[in-house]
Amino acid sequence: MSFSQDMDDEYEKLIRRMNPPRVVIDNDSCKNATVIRVDSANEHGILLEVVQVLTDLNLIITKAYISSDGCWFMDVFNVTDQDGNKVTDEGVLDYIQKSLGPESCFMSSMRSVGVTPSMDHTAIELTGSDRPGLLSEVCAVLTHLKCNVVSAEVWTHNTRAASIMHVTDEETGSAISDPERLSRIKELLCNVLKGSNKSRGAKTVVSHEVTHTERRLHQMMFADRDYERLDDDALDERQRPNVSVVNWYDKDYSVVTIRSKDRPKLLFDTVCTLTDMKYVVFHANIDAEGPEAYQEYYIRHVDGSPVKSEAERQRVIQCLEAAIERRVSEGLKLELCTTDRVGLLSDVTRIFRENSLTVTRAEVTTKGGKAMNTFYVSDASGYPVDSKTIDSIRQAIGQTILKVKGSPEELKSGSQESPTRFLFGGLFKSRSFVNFGLVRSYS
């Protein structure tokens, strides 16, 4: 088995050397965006790698055209920086060339800036039922166990919560390697995650593996089946993304169309989900220049078949809805910037809990001795966060180190019901589409 795997790896390297990727970065042809063209030998997951590199650099993809029929992969991306300007930073442009161009053939398969070795910390993966104060309880346990959280990302969706935390030993500042201590950490955290809810499972994994945090969070929530809607789901259907899946049997494609409010990293989230569900994107057209994003994918399963049944179609729809909703920034945005110390995250989240706030999403980073944390919080009772509550929290934490970034934007549906349109329609002559009964759409 090992010999066969090595042979496959060597064959893949040979193909890449014979057909090296080509990257062209053009700042002249488009008035308001940098155009990046990527041509390479086609392989499953290559689209996700490219999108991952661009989004990890915090670039905004406003338009994209993807075509990968046969053995060749051709992509065109229109990108801007966070301020909507063309990308002119030579360091960023050089990194794109090295990550996606010919030199990438000799790099490891993990080429994203978001993937870093974890020899200096221990990664803890957590999944379980969401509830008010959960993050505070987790952080309190870690502080009690003399673990310092150096970075973390927390997502919540559909009553479920997932987090990846990178921790170090409080005394040594290095990764925790003692098996007995790791077992104790795992046991106590799992007990916290379970809480009083015995109907859904909780899971804690401790590792030192290399991982891309955001992709791993998608995989964790997918494995936790957060895409399954509850019968009493209170989310207004008009607030959900508009997702449809129809089959085009003349071309053996399933055509996925998505309309939703645009936001950063939206393309990554959908491509990541399709890839992890073992679907191959043969063609795609992305338009996200306005407040609404339109995505269209022509896909087949890795076994070469389009979507085969109504059950499979519904599952694709549900999983894409979930992928889009997980990163929606619900709640009031709070930014914390201060000198890092052991127990800081535990103290801050305890103050949130004591003021009846629940954390819906969080990003925790530490750089150069500084803690730079972003929290999205909401009232535990479901009401808007009261200004007096925010004042109380800022007094407890510090007026200068905790910033309130305005009122939360409510998810709005900018889409209207209209016939399904296919941006690739002119690419093919025949247009015989077949769906599985009624195509459900959310508008």
Side-chain angles (χ1 to χ4, degrees), residues 188-329:
L188 292 182
L189 287 177
C190 203
N191 289 337
V192 169
L193 290 170
K194 287 178 181 177
S196 60
N197 187 348
K198 306 301 181 183
S199 61
R200 291 290 296 269
K203 187 176 181 180
T204 304
V205 176
V206 179
S207 74
H208 296 87
E209 294 182 1
V210 175
T211 177
H212 183 275
T213 299
E214 293 168 340
R215 183 176 185 189
R216 184 66 190 134
L217 281 167
H218 275 302
Q219 292 171 338
M220 289 162 59
M221 298 203 87
F222 174 76
D224 198 39
R225 304 175 75 87
D226 75 314
Y227 54 84
E228 294 181 341
R229 298 283 180 189
L230 301 175
D231 292 337
D232 60 346
D233 189 356
L235 181 65
D236 191 332
E237 286 198 358
R238 290 174 299 177
Q239 293 181 332
R240 293 181 189 164
N242 182 319
V243 182
S244 70
V245 179
V246 297
N247 273 6
W248 188 357
Y249 282 115
D250 281 4
K251 299 294 181 181
D252 277 339
Y253 289 130
S254 290
V255 184
V256 177
T257 57
I258 304 171
R259 291 182 180 87
S260 67
K261 183 178 178 180
D262 191 28
R263 61 164 174 76
K265 301 190 178 182
L266 178 63
L267 179 59
F268 170 83
D269 293 338
T270 53
V271 171
C272 177
T273 299
L274 289 171
T275 302
D276 286 339
M277 292 183 73
K278 307 299 183 185
Y279 290 103
V280 179
V281 175
F282 287 87
H283 301 284
N285 205 106
I286 311 300
D287 186 350
E289 288 192 306
E292 181 185 79
Y294 179 84
Q295 302 178 63
E296 177 180 292
Y297 300 95
Y298 289 66
I299 67 170
R300 296 184 190 127
H301 195 267
V302 289
D303 65 9
S305 65
V307 172
K308 297 176 181 177
S309 66
E310 171 64 12
E312 183 183 355
R313 187 183 74 86
Q314 291 292 344
R315 187 165 180 263
V316 171
I317 290 174
Q318 290 175 350
C319 290
L320 287 171
E321 287 176 350
I324 294 168
E325 292 167 356
R326 286 170 194 148
R327 214 198 289 252
V328 170
S329 302

Side-chain angles (χ1 to χ4, degrees), residues 16 43 63 121 148 195 225 248 296 301 327 359 391 397 404-405 411 423:
R16 283 194 169 227
E43 60 183 79
K63 278 182 174 289
H121 60 250
N148 184 38
R225 304 175 75 87
W248 188 357
E296 177 180 292
H301 195 267
R327 214 198 289 252
V359 177
D391 290 340
I397 296 176
V404 181
K405 306 302 285 187
L411 190 63
L423 298 184

Side-chain angles (χ1 to χ4, degrees), residues 333-341 343-345 347-349 351-352 363 365 369-375 390-405:
K333 183 178 181 182
L334 304 177
E335 290 186 351
L336 175 73
C337 183
T338 186
T339 302
D340 188 36
R341 61 174 173 79
L344 174 65
L345 189 58
D347 290 343
V348 170
T349 53
I351 293 170
F352 289 162
E363 298 173 14
T365 57
K370 283 281 187 182
M372 295 170 286
N373 305 339
T374 301
F375 304 94
I390 296 301
D391 290 340
S392 174
I393 290 172
R394 293 190 70 197
Q395 274 193 329
I397 296 176
Q399 297 278 354
T400 58
I401 64 175
L402 184 68
K403 304 293 184 184
V404 181
K405 306 302 285 187

Side-chain angles (χ1 to χ4, degrees), residues 18 42 52 76 81 88 93 107 128 165 169 176 261 271 276 283 290 298 317 320 327 337 394 426-427 429 438:
M18 292 173 63
N42 191 21
Q52 188 170 293
V76 180
D81 62 18
T88 56
L93 298 177
M107 297 171 68
M165 294 184 163
D169 178 75
I176 300 167
K261 183 178 178 180
V271 171
D276 286 339
H283 301 284
Y298 289 66
I317 290 174
L320 287 171
R327 214 198 289 252
C337 183
R394 293 190 70 197
L427 192 66
K429 292 181 180 179
L438 177 66

Side-chain angles (χ1 to χ4, degrees), residues 24-91:
V24 176
I25 300 176
D26 178 5
N27 261 323
D28 298 322
S29 62
C30 182
K31 182 180 179 181
N32 53 10
T34 298
V35 179
I36 300 174
R37 299 181 180 86
V38 182
D39 299 340
S40 74
N42 191 21
E43 60 183 79
H44 181 56
I46 185 69
L47 174 60
L48 177 59
E49 283 193 16
V50 174
V51 173
Q52 188 170 293
V53 166
L54 297 178
T55 54
D56 281 345
L57 289 167
N58 291 318
L59 300 180
I60 306 298
I61 300 172
T62 58
K63 278 182 174 289
Y65 174 93
I66 291 107
S67 183
S68 61
D69 260 342
C71 298
W72 201 249
F73 167 85
M74 295 173 287
D75 281 3
V76 180
F77 298 93
N78 285 19
V79 303
T80 68
D81 62 18
Q82 292 283 305
D83 298 319
N85 302 315
K86 291 185 178 183
V87 183
T88 56
D89 186 303
E90 290 298 329

